Amino acid sequence: MKLAEVLSGLEMLDIRAPLELEIEDVAYDSRDVAPGALFVAVRGFESDGHRYIPQAAQKGAACVICEEAPEAEIPYVIVPDSRLALALAARNFYRDPASELRMIGVTGTNGKTTTTYLVKHLLEQKLGAKVGLIGTNGNMIGGEFLHTERTTPESCELQKLLREMADAGCTHVVMEVSSHSLVLHRVAGIRFAAGIFTNLTQDHLDFHKTMENYAEAKSRLFSVCDTAVINADDAWSGYMLERCACPAITFSEKAGDLTAGDISLTSAGVAFTAEYKGGSVPVKLGIPGLFSVYNALGVIGAGLALGISLADCADSLASGKGVKGRVEVVPTDGDYTILIDYAHTPDALENVLRSMRAVTRGRLVALFGCGGDRDRTKRPIMGRIAAENADFVVVTSDNPRTEDPEAIIADILAGMEGSETPREVICSRPEAIEWAIEHHEPGDVIVLAGKGHEDYQIVGREKHHMDEREIVAGILEKRKRDR
């Protein structure tokens, strides 16, 4: 592809490269540069891509996009924002794959992953569509699963993935759109047929610093949508609606365009009556918890935005499945229940504990930790929430990363001061899980919160294999042998 085509739509301050130059690839990591590549020097949080322009040149890069003139002898283009330029250049290089797809974006703090899976199921079942999925648990091209490192891939990988999806025959793509991806231009140049806002609660303040910044980041999705689907019961819904540059469908228990009445919550799932523009249908979803009502309403709203009837949306939800690591029931060896859930924010932890309270015959046990190198202010908040909503709390590690696990635990315990809720502190997460199982009582529900779908633990900068399903199975096998 000619350089002129790759640069189409980019804001450029200076061009010192022949526009007829042939571009063979687009890369932002000098280690990935091959002869003929366009190297985009991005200023990162830990390193500056401009430092690696000489290496890119040595490896045969044909041209570089940068924010300042390079010292290396190489054709270059200067832009005001190389992150944005990377997204648009990648879009052009991969022939704008999103324009061949109907894109559905889901943003919010909690509920994104489950919502994307349920929307994918709806589109496949009711439209017969081949659907791509991009999110926290992994990416999918139809039924093919692909591992992922980020909720929303870097723009270059995202555009390449969308091209693969389009070429594989996908007609729709459902993706989680993180606040980081919106601020860092990973989804720049993509138009969404529908965007869903699930909710906004404290998370990622290590990056955004304030809730207002966090909300502003999320709201950017609704400036590039054809239809917004907004949770009207969330405190930030008005903020999102004010910033919508498109029509919106609001959903709510009582006061939205799309509402849920006659709500029934059981250990088997939720049931309610969905009402929209004078029509109503019964809805059932086999995922327990009040939050499942909101996830279901968001899915229905997206379906309506895409022209699927209320009745067809409800019918699809009846056969919808849960997602790994989201209120996932793990087999046990007795009269008690173990759930694995990704709840790693104050609101998510409170939601899952309150939902399980309604179906717990014995004690509700919360086992959780907090991630290192992330928002410290939520740690005591989560400690307080666990103490207020559980009958017993086991405080342990999550992904400590480069922080001292004991210091993280101390931050959590600060929020539990003054509470009479009994607790146990065990830094090793596998040992904490074993302790909780060994000390269970009949009818208990033990919620392993925070890790969810993750099958690893990050200690320092290293990932170590750690799958809670395997840990529980191993403990149960040991208990069986010891009997």
Side-chain angles (χ1 to χ4, degrees), residues 406-427:
E406 299 284 357
I408 296 172
I409 288 173
D411 287 342
I412 295 171
L413 293 175
M416 303 177 73
E417 289 181 5
S419 169
E420 296 182 359
T421 303
R423 72 203 64 154
E424 186 74 18
V425 178
I426 302 174
C427 191

Side-chain angles (χ1 to χ4, degrees), residues 316-448:
S316 172
L317 287 167
S319 57
K321 298 277 193 297
V323 180
K324 181 180 179 182
R326 270 64 175 181
V327 199
E328 178 186 352
V329 179
V330 180
T332 65
D333 59 352
D335 181 21
Y336 66 105
T337 301
I338 296 178
L339 297 174
I340 293 176
D341 192 83
Y342 190 48
H344 63 287
T345 67
D347 184 65
L349 183 61
E350 185 171 15
N351 279 341
V352 72
L353 293 178
R354 286 188 173 183
S355 295
M356 292 307 104
R357 167 64 66 199
V359 297
T360 299
R361 293 183 294 106
R363 301 175 307 163
L364 180 58
V365 179
L367 184 151
F368 78 103
C370 290
D373 301 336
R374 297 294 186 268
D375 179 13
R376 289 187 60 180
T377 65
K378 71 181 183 182
R379 296 171 187 171
I381 298 172
M382 291 179 69
R384 174 181 55 78
I385 286 171
E388 291 176 350
N389 291 278
D391 299 307
F392 197 101
V393 179
V394 181
V395 183
T396 185
S397 288
D398 192 280
N399 291 318
R401 299 185 176 88
T402 63
E403 284 195 63
D404 177 5
E406 299 284 357
I408 296 172
I409 288 173
D411 287 342
I412 295 171
L413 293 175
M416 303 177 73
E417 289 181 5
S419 169
E420 296 182 359
T421 303
R423 72 203 64 154
E424 186 74 18
V425 178
I426 302 174
C427 191
S428 164
R429 195 170 181 104
E431 291 178 14
I433 294 171
E434 183 169 15
W435 190 94
I437 291 174
E438 292 293 346
H439 291 82
H440 81 268
E441 296 176 7
D444 281 358
V445 173
I446 303 170
V447 179
L448 310 182

